[in-house]
Amino acid sequence: MRPEVSAFVADGPLPDEESGEEAEIDRRARQLEAIPRPLSPAEAEALAGCFGPDDCHGLAWTMAHLIETAPGPVYTPDPASDAGAHARIRGWAVAAGLFTEDTGPGAPGGGDSGGFPA
């Protein structure tokens, strides 16, 4: 995984709009902008685990569009039932074929083979 992706993932999920400080949100935006495109499937899957409880002033959408640069659908676990914007973004991504609803270690998009899932 490239260092820009590793750094973003290490910082955890995006903060929520209400409690996220402007400086933190700006820093996370710069981190997303610095990630080279396209993503590998493994990088996309790692980023898919970084959605926060809402759209974080649009950063969740930026992250979803970054994830779509990876080949094939990306597995991501279902958000909590009260996840709000995260659930809506994930629903959009599943409908667009970016994420898969399959679960488990053999789900499409897992691993970093560089090819399209079967």
Side-chain angles (χ1 to χ4, degrees), residues 105-118:
D112 193 8
S113 65
F116 290 92

Side-chain angles (χ1 to χ4, degrees), residues 79-93:
S81 61
D82 62 349
H86 178 188
R88 287 191 306 275
I89 292 167
R90 185 178 186 282
W92 165 81

Side-chain angles (χ1 to χ4, degrees), residues 68 72-73 89-99:
E68 76 182 326
I89 292 167
R90 185 178 186 282
W92 165 81
V94 167
L98 303 176
F99 293 168

Side-chain angles (χ1 to χ4, degrees), residues 11-108:
D11 284 346
L14 291 171
D16 65 74
E17 290 182 355
E18 297 297 318
S19 64
E21 295 186 20
E22 187 175 341
E24 172 68 6
I25 292 169
D26 289 345
R27 186 180 69 78
R28 298 304 297 270
R30 286 190 305 276
Q31 282 181 312
L32 282 175
E33 291 170 6
I35 295 173
R37 282 107 170 120
L39 296 180
S40 71
E43 290 171 331
E45 189 171 330
L47 282 183
C50 292
F51 285 105
D54 57 30
D55 77 353
C56 190
H57 302 285
L59 287 185
W61 288 105
T62 300
M63 193 164 59
H65 292 303
L66 178 58
I67 290 168
E68 76 182 326
T69 68
V74 174
Y75 166 73
T76 184
D78 287 333
S81 61
D82 62 349
H86 178 188
R88 287 191 306 275
I89 292 167
R90 185 178 186 282
W92 165 81
V94 167
L98 303 176
F99 293 168
T100 180
E101 294 182 300
D102 294 342
T103 59

